[in-house]
Amino acid sequence: MNTKSNNNKIFYGWWVVAGALLIMFTIGGIAWNCVSIFIKPVCADLGFTRQAMSMNSTITSIIGMIISLSWGYILRHFSLKTLMRLAAFGLPLGYIGYSFCSTIGMFYACSVLVGLSLCLVMNLPLSIILSNWFEEKRGTAMGIAFMGSGIGGMLFIPLISSMIERNGWRYTFRFSALVMFIAAFIAIFFLIRIRPEEKGLKALGWEKHHSG
């Protein structure tokens, strides 16, 4: 199978790559690369120590480790599409929650939701989906998708920093939530399909690996 089908349309798997790239660019660019930018202004405003605020990243990392260890069980009992759709709403809700926090415990509770949502929308699920779509050019597809986080960081780090200075950290959390929600909604509901069979297709290179 070529990257274009017989009717000269682009192989749909590349639209899936575009959706994955959009997720990594926005969610990876903001939730991964910009999290530390909020620590100083939040601590200055609410009187927390930086160590206490840094625990939010620790919480999301612990959630990620638990999800990674439980991934096989999760996929046996839940639909990946449903999980990603829930995460598309859960992540922005967590960030909106941050914007209303007044205690460190409230931040930690939101971080549990954020950490869970990140695991269900980024690396693990996207790797599975891209593997489903590409038997050939899998490395290229994953490379294109996952480079989005670095590019997003280059854009969002100065943007988020500037917005915090101009508008405050609460407004910037809400702006971040909106950007991530729009991107995730477009990618998950309109671009990404879990398997090529959903579009009546086979993975790129399927014939070559399964002929004879």
Side-chain angles (χ1 to χ4, degrees):
M1 184 180 293
N2 298 319
T3 56
K4 294 187 177 182
S5 60
N6 292 334
N7 58 3
N8 217 33
K9 290 183 178 179
I10 296 174
F11 174 59
Y12 193 83
W14 297 112
W15 290 107
V16 176
V17 172
L21 175 63
L22 181 59
I23 287 175
M24 295 300 298
F25 176 75
T26 52
I27 295 176
I30 295 174
W32 276 3
N33 294 308
C34 297
V35 60
S36 62
I37 300 174
F38 288 93
I39 293 177
K40 184 177 178 179
V42 171
C43 290
D45 188 24
L46 299 179
F48 305 147
T49 65
R50 295 193 183 186
Q51 290 81 1
M53 272 301 292
S54 296
M55 274 297 296
N56 287 292
S57 295
T58 303
I59 290 169
T60 58
S61 297
I62 291 172
I63 296 293
M65 181 180 65
I66 294 171
I67 294 296
S68 297
L69 293 173
S70 308
W71 195 238
Y73 175 86
I74 291 170
L75 290 183
R76 287 195 300 271
H77 291 82
F78 300 97
S79 161
L80 182 56
K81 181 184 293 185
T82 299
L83 292 173
M84 293 187 73
R85 288 181 173 179
L86 289 174
F89 291 95
L91 180 60
L93 281 175
Y95 263 67
I96 291 173
Y98 282 147
S99 75
F100 289 100
C101 288
S102 58
T103 68
I104 195 65
M106 294 170 69
F107 273 97
Y108 294 164
C110 291
S111 291
V112 172
L113 178 58
V114 168
L116 180 61
S117 299
L118 285 174
C119 291
L120 298 180
V121 80
M122 290 187 64
N123 286 23
L124 282 171
L126 293 181
S127 295
I128 291 171
I129 292 166
L130 293 174
S131 295
N132 289 341
W133 277 92
F134 293 89
E135 294 196 12
E136 284 185 355
K137 301 187 177 181
R138 183 177 295 168
T140 300
M142 289 190 176
I144 293 171
F146 292 128
M147 74 177 181
S149 176
I151 298 173
M154 292 170 58
L155 171 68
F156 285 111
I157 287 174
L159 176 61
I160 294 297
S161 297
S162 176
M163 290 191 69
I164 291 174
E165 291 180 6
R166 293 197 316 268
N167 306 109
W169 61 270
R170 293 186 187 275
Y171 174 90
T172 307
F173 269 129
R174 293 164 193 162
F175 169 80
S176 300
L178 178 62
V179 171
M180 290 190 290
F181 173 73
I182 292 172
F185 189 84
I186 292 171
I188 295 169
F189 285 83
F190 294 99
L191 293 175
I192 291 176
R193 298 294 180 268
I194 306 300
R195 298 176 184 84
E197 288 77 11
E198 295 179 39
K199 299 290 290 185
L201 299 170
K202 296 293 185 182
L204 187 70
W206 185 89
E207 289 90 345
K208 182 183 294 185
H209 290 85
H210 296 273
S211 61

